[in-house]
Amino acid sequence: MSNIPKIVILGAGYGGILTAQRLQKELNYNEADVTLVNRHDYHYITTHLHMPAAGTDSIENTRVPISRLIDEFKVDLVKSSVQEIRPQEKKIILEDGTLSYDYLVIALGGESESFGIPGLAEHALTIRSINSVRLIRKHIEYQFALYKNEKNPQERINFVVGGAGFSGIEFVAELADRIPQLCKEYDVDPNLVNIYNVEAAPTALPGFAPELVDYAMDVLRRKGVTFKIGVAIKECTASGVLLATGEEIKAATVVWTGGIRGNHMIEAAGFETARGRVKVDEYLHAPGHENIFIIGDNALIMNPEGRPYPPTAQIAMQQGVCCAHNIVTSIRNQQPKKFVFSNKGTVASLGKGEGIAVVGGKHLKGWTAAQLKKVVDMRYLFTIGGIPLVLKKGRFL
Amino acid sequence: MSNIPKIVILGAGYGGILTAQRLQKELNYNEADVTLVNRHDYHYITTHLHMPAAGTDSIENTRVPISRLIDEFKVDLVKSSVQEIRPQEKKIILEDGTLSYDYLVIALGGESESFGIPGLAEHALTIRSINSVRLIRKHIEYQFALYKNEKNPQERINFVVGGAGFSGIEFVAELADRIPQLCKEYDVDPNLVNIYNVEAAPTALPGFAPELVDYAMDVLRRKGVTFKIGVAIKECTASGVLLATGEEIKAATVVWTGGIRGNHMIEAAGFETARGRVKVDEYLHAPGHENIFIIGDNALIMNPEGRPYPPTAQIAMQQGVCCAHNIVTSIRNQQPKKFVFSNKGTVASLGKGEGIAVVGGKHLKGWTAAQLKKVVDMRYLFTIGGIPLVLKKGRFL
């Protein structure tokens, strides 16, 4: 037992990694013990997952060993899966042990939200982790291989992507880029392949200006995507999807990108949540817990207009920095800082050489936006790993 | 209608390609019309299929466009699937047309023989074509991806190979070489993966000297293969195999290499067959049909000891040469040549840097045999496509 405060960070995503890195920088020697818990020994770049999922980039460009990002003399790494959070006991139950804490940072990331659509959890694939996108990639390739060995059933080369939000559109774009390669590799006529993008909301890419949405949809239509906007998925089955219109799309591959909710462990821990997310205070504290910070997909924060900020990498990183600062000030009995989100802009990739972006109120399209996306990716690599990581994982083409 | 005799070759495997190439060389201008019918527009190197199946080499190194091998001014190519052979009408029914012939060469290749084992045709994969090995490769990768997304069920990473003959052993060796790469790629502990090679016969690699068989099995055991020799597969199910011993091996992947039989279309055409193969005369004629030649996997030829030669690439190629010659002599009213098999030796690969070989009565093992295998592969590429093909497809490592 020591008197040194123990800080435990759950999750090594954007929020968790930034918290850990800031703590290791700001804390003095022997000022606190920091433990970072993560289920894998690698950090992955969630905003990049749509590429390895479609097969247009490698898995290895999408993950980094945590040991490269953290100074293991300053931060302990525990590779384990969190089972339970017990705020009353200040304890974390891992699959293979327990941890106690004085300060806790919950940065566990969200979970796929299926909105109660029957069959989705069983039959649809989701873009949420290295393992899940590797499955999507292999599933797609496997369908092509099966197509050529069975009696060429159309459902093998029909692809349904549920959700035309940010992730849905970015994935659809990559998939459309990958199909011609797959067709060449498997000797399949590209005209036979169908990609459907189904979205229940009245528009694709909510939050973007209509002009940019139209541009994005035009780009994707030219790449062969068929949109079904304003059409809900009623049911997902082993052989495809049933739409609210009554139409059935036969497809052996359904990828669901329709939404994200907070982690179920947060509700289980007794926090009050909305869709699994906790309304944190302006210092990122969980309500009633000065020693617990919730950041990233699990934190609910309102913008000045009173609507929640969507969960993004950008906000999670800024929260990580703020939360690390507020832990340090708490240890030092100093004043904490309020979290203020600073919007650096938004870029959506539309596949090779295409994109849309909103930066400082300006709208960008096409090649410029695509380049900007790469700059954002590389800036992130630089932030967490410096120039060596940019050189190792950055894409310069 | 012309008076020029029409030669139709069914199949562009070893026998068919060699027949076509020899005919285009030996025939004079306007002496005959040659048509080569094949289901794909490529020729594939069957003896190499175990590598792309396991994923240790690419599909593209295993196939060659037929147009590169044949002079299309001299030989017509028809890409179609043969449905029926009608010797009485001298007609071939294709999936999309018909062809008539004066001379017919049946070089359609064999089919997988399941010896009536229940479930094998439904659940086991086979190494028989580009499409089927692409499926094996993708199936294996998909199991690893599923393993990481399900609750790590052992059957996903158990692999059963039925048959320890030539193809079974060569595939098992490549698979054993591939597993460590797959484990690295998918973050799986290699010690958890099992490869079982099950053979009903009392020995692996029948036809090889016991000394070489022992050597081969030792090499493969060291690579992690578990042998079940003298044990029959009683049934193949969706979840694995049941052995005659009562043991059950749970495995999502069963690859059957246990045997080959002649093509069902040959029996359907009314020829007398044994396991689908036709006992041809010494000139390679089908019995009673001076204008029909049967070569390769569908021809049954006895060795001087009265036992059938096993179907190999080597014998098919020699038959192709002989059959082309005998068609030319028939057109010219000259004497045909008897087919005599000249055994150039046998080499089995045991994966990277390992092999066994019998050449001119000598036994070779290890690195020397592995090099010899490459020489044989390259000699074949040279035979059918000259130096350009060796440079394009040859493996020099």
Side-chain angles (χ1 to χ4, degrees):
Chain A
M1 293 286 286
S2 75
N3 289 328
I4 298 178
K6 294 180 72 176
I7 307 169
V8 171
I9 306 166
L10 304 182
Y14 292 98
I17 280 288
L18 265 285
T19 306
Q21 287 188 332
R22 278 305 172 114
L23 283 175
Q24 93 186 6
K25 197 174 160 195
E26 294 192 17
L27 286 169
N28 297 321
Y29 180 68
N30 260 348
E31 205 174 6
D33 280 341
V34 183
T35 302
L36 176 60
V37 181
N38 198 57
R39 147 200 323 237
H40 310 292
D41 53 13
Y42 52 83
H43 163 76
Y44 55 84
I45 301 156
T46 312
T47 56
H48 191 63
L49 284 176
H50 57 287
M51 293 188 74
T56 49
D57 197 8
S58 74
I59 288 286
E60 292 316 317
N61 274 351
T62 312
R63 64 175 172 179
V64 193
I66 297 174
S67 57
R68 279 183 67 100
L69 303 179
I70 295 294
D71 181 346
E72 292 184 75
F73 288 104
K74 295 183 176 173
V75 174
D76 288 335
L77 290 182
V78 173
K79 186 187 162 195
S80 188
S81 181
V82 179
Q83 303 293 302
E84 208 187 322
I85 301 165
R86 296 190 181 158
Q88 268 63 37
E89 304 170 39
K90 296 191 176 180
K91 216 176 209 177
I92 302 300
I93 311 298
L94 304 176
E95 62 180 344
D96 45 11
T98 61
L99 283 175
S100 60
Y101 61 81
D102 298 302
Y103 293 94
L104 179 67
V105 180
I106 302 179
L108 285 166
E111 293 176 352
S112 179
E113 167 67 276
S114 64
F115 300 108
I117 299 169
L120 216 47
E122 295 79 6
H123 302 299
L125 300 159
T126 53
I127 299 171
R128 61 185 152 75
S129 66
I130 292 291
N131 285 332
S132 84
V133 304
R134 208 154 36 185
L135 182 61
I136 293 174
R137 177 180 185 150
K138 290 300 154 183
H139 180 89
I140 293 170
E141 294 171 1
Y142 191 52
Q143 300 317 310
F144 275 85
L146 284 169
Y147 178 79
K148 294 295 288 185
N149 280 272
E150 296 169 350
K151 298 271 172 218
N152 299 356
Q154 183 62 41
E155 61 263 38
R156 294 273 174 227
I157 52 171
N158 281 353
F159 299 90
V160 172
V161 178
F166 214 89
S167 342
I169 289 290
E170 287 199 318
F171 174 66
V172 159
E174 296 301 321
L175 184 59
D177 281 357
R178 181 88 200 287
I179 293 297
Q181 300 166 15
L182 286 168
C183 286
K184 196 163 174 238
E185 193 181 334
Y186 289 86
D187 310 309
V188 172
D189 177 357
N191 293 313
L192 300 174
V193 178
N194 296 306
I195 304 177
Y196 299 96
N197 191 192
V198 184
E199 169 63 58
T203 172
L205 289 169
F208 276 93
E211 176 218 4
L212 292 179
V213 176
D214 288 349
Y215 178 82
M217 289 177 72
D218 277 353
V219 167
L220 296 182
R221 276 195 201 98
R222 262 181 277 122
K223 291 188 183 196
V225 177
T226 303
F227 285 100
K228 307 251 175 199
I229 304 294
V231 178
I233 293 178
K234 216 174 94 188
E235 194 184 339
C236 182
T237 69
S239 58
V241 291
L242 273 167
L243 304 183
T245 54
E247 190 188 350
E248 184 182 2
I249 304 175
K250 292 262 183 206
T253 309
V254 179
V255 177
W256 175 248
T257 69
I260 213 163
R261 48 160 285 138
N263 198 293
H264 68 279
M265 277 183 287
I266 309 225
E267 285 159 315
F271 297 105
E272 194 184 319
T273 64
R275 285 210 180 281
R277 301 170 76 192
V278 177
K279 200 159 181 302
V280 292
D281 72 13
E282 51 199 341
Y283 306 106
L284 305 175
H285 295 129
H289 295 272
E290 294 276 302
N291 66 330
I292 300 181
F293 296 80
I294 301 182
I295 62 176
D297 292 350
N298 293 305
L300 190 61
I301 295 183
M302 299 300 170
N303 67 15
E305 290 87 52
R307 300 195 51 201
Y309 284 116
T312 61
Q314 199 181 156
I315 199 168
M317 289 165 69
Q318 294 181 19
Q319 289 167 341
V321 171
C322 175
C323 141
H325 178 85
N326 288 350
I327 292 173
V328 173
T329 54
S330 168
I331 291 170
R332 294 179 187 161
N333 287 313
Q334 298 167 343
Q335 272 301 310
K337 213 162 57 182
K338 289 184 186 174
F339 175 72
V340 183
F341 176 53
S342 155
N343 192 344
K344 311 286 188 204
T346 313
V347 199
S349 148
L350 301 171
K352 202 161 170 54
E354 278 289 356
I356 53 172
V358 183
V359 188
K362 274 201 191 114
H363 292 177
L364 301 176
K365 290 183 284 206
W367 189 83
T368 322
Q371 297 317 303
L372 192 62
K373 175 84 181 181
K374 281 175 199 165
V375 171
V376 172
D377 283 0
M378 284 198 249
R379 194 166 51 187
Y380 176 65
L381 292 174
F382 179 75
T383 304
I384 62 168
I387 286 171
L389 194 62
V390 175
L391 294 176
K392 202 171 153 67
K393 307 282 177 179
R395 291 164 302 127
F396 298 97
L397 281 172
Chain B
M1 293 288 286
S2 75
N3 290 328
I4 298 179
K6 295 179 71 175
I7 307 170
V8 171
I9 306 167
L10 303 182
Y14 292 97
I17 280 289
L18 265 285
T19 306
Q21 287 189 331
R22 278 306 172 114
L23 284 175
Q24 93 186 7
K25 197 174 160 194
E26 293 192 18
L27 285 170
N28 296 322
Y29 180 68
N30 261 350
E31 205 173 7
D33 280 341
V34 183
T35 302
L36 175 61
V37 181
N38 198 56
R39 150 201 319 238
H40 310 292
D41 53 13
Y42 52 83
H43 162 76
Y44 55 84
I45 301 156
T46 312
T47 57
H48 192 63
L49 284 176
H50 57 287
M51 292 188 74
T56 49
D57 197 9
S58 74
I59 289 285
E60 292 317 317
N61 275 351
T62 312
R63 65 175 172 178
V64 193
I66 296 173
S67 57
R68 280 183 66 100
L69 303 179
I70 295 294
D71 180 347
E72 293 184 76
F73 289 103
K74 295 183 175 172
V75 175
D76 288 335
L77 290 182
V78 173
K79 187 188 161 194
S80 188
S81 180
V82 178
Q83 303 292 301
E84 209 187 321
I85 301 165
R86 296 190 182 159
Q88 268 63 38
E89 305 169 38
K90 295 190 176 181
K91 217 177 207 174
I92 302 300
I93 311 299
L94 304 176
E95 61 179 346
D96 45 11
T98 61
L99 283 175
S100 60
Y101 62 82
D102 297 302
Y103 293 95
L104 179 67
V105 180
I106 302 178
L108 286 166
E111 293 175 352
S112 180
E113 166 68 277
S114 65
F115 300 108
I117 299 170
L120 216 47
E122 294 80 7
H123 302 297
L125 301 160
T126 53
I127 300 171
R128 62 186 153 75
S129 66
I130 292 290
N131 286 332
S132 85
V133 303
R134 208 154 35 185
L135 182 61
I136 293 175
R137 177 181 185 150
K138 290 300 155 184
H139 180 90
I140 292 170
E141 294 171 2
Y142 192 51
Q143 300 317 309
F144 274 85
L146 285 169
Y147 178 78
K148 295 294 287 186
N149 280 272
E150 296 170 347
K151 298 270 172 219
N152 299 356
Q154 183 61 42
E155 60 263 37
R156 294 274 175 226
I157 51 171
N158 281 353
F159 299 90
V160 172
V161 178
F166 213 90
S167 343
I169 288 290
E170 286 199 318
F171 174 65
V172 159
E174 295 301 320
L175 183 59
D177 281 357
R178 181 89 200 286
I179 292 298
Q181 299 166 16
L182 287 168
C183 286
K184 196 164 173 235
E185 195 181 333
Y186 290 86
D187 311 308
V188 173
D189 177 357
N191 293 313
L192 299 175
V193 178
N194 296 305
I195 305 176
Y196 299 95
N197 190 5
V198 184
E199 169 63 58
T203 172
L205 289 169
F208 276 95
E211 176 219 3
L212 291 179
V213 176
D214 288 348
Y215 178 83
M217 290 177 72
D218 276 352
V219 166
L220 296 182
R221 276 195 201 98
R222 261 181 279 122
K223 290 187 182 197
V225 176
T226 304
F227 285 100
K228 308 249 175 200
I229 304 294
V231 178
I233 293 178
K234 216 173 95 188
E235 194 183 340
C236 181
T237 70
S239 59
V241 290
L242 273 167
L243 304 183
T245 54
E247 190 189 350
E248 183 182 3
I249 304 176
K250 292 262 184 206
T253 309
V254 178
V255 177
W256 176 247
T257 69
I260 213 163
R261 50 160 284 137
N263 198 293
H264 69 279
M265 276 184 287
I266 310 230
E267 285 159 314
F271 296 106
E272 194 184 319
T273 64
R275 285 209 178 283
R277 301 170 76 191
V278 176
K279 200 158 181 299
V280 293
D281 73 11
E282 52 199 341
Y283 306 105
L284 305 175
H285 295 128
H289 295 272
E290 294 276 300
N291 66 329
I292 299 181
F293 295 80
I294 301 183
I295 63 176
D297 293 350
N298 293 305
L300 189 61
I301 295 183
M302 299 299 171
N303 67 14
E305 291 87 53
R307 301 195 50 201
Y309 285 116
T312 61
Q314 198 181 156
I315 200 168
M317 289 165 69
Q318 294 180 20
Q319 288 167 341
V321 172
C322 175
C323 141
H325 178 86
N326 288 350
I327 292 173
V328 174
T329 55
S330 167
I331 291 170
R332 295 179 186 161
N333 286 314
Q334 296 167 344
Q335 272 303 307
K337 213 162 59 181
K338 289 184 184 173
F339 176 71
V340 183
F341 176 53
S342 156
N343 191 343
K344 310 287 187 204
T346 314
V347 200
S349 148
L350 301 172
K352 202 160 169 57
E354 279 289 355
I356 52 172
V358 182
V359 188
K362 273 200 192 114
H363 292 177
L364 300 176
K365 289 183 287 207
W367 191 82
T368 322
Q371 297 317 302
L372 192 62
K373 175 84 182 183
K374 281 175 200 165
V375 171
V376 171
D377 283 0
M378 285 198 247
R379 193 167 52 186
Y380 176 66
L381 293 175
F382 180 76
T383 303
I384 63 168
I387 286 172
L389 194 61
V390 174
L391 293 177
K392 203 171 153 66
K393 306 283 177 177
R395 291 164 301 129
F396 298 97
L397 281 172

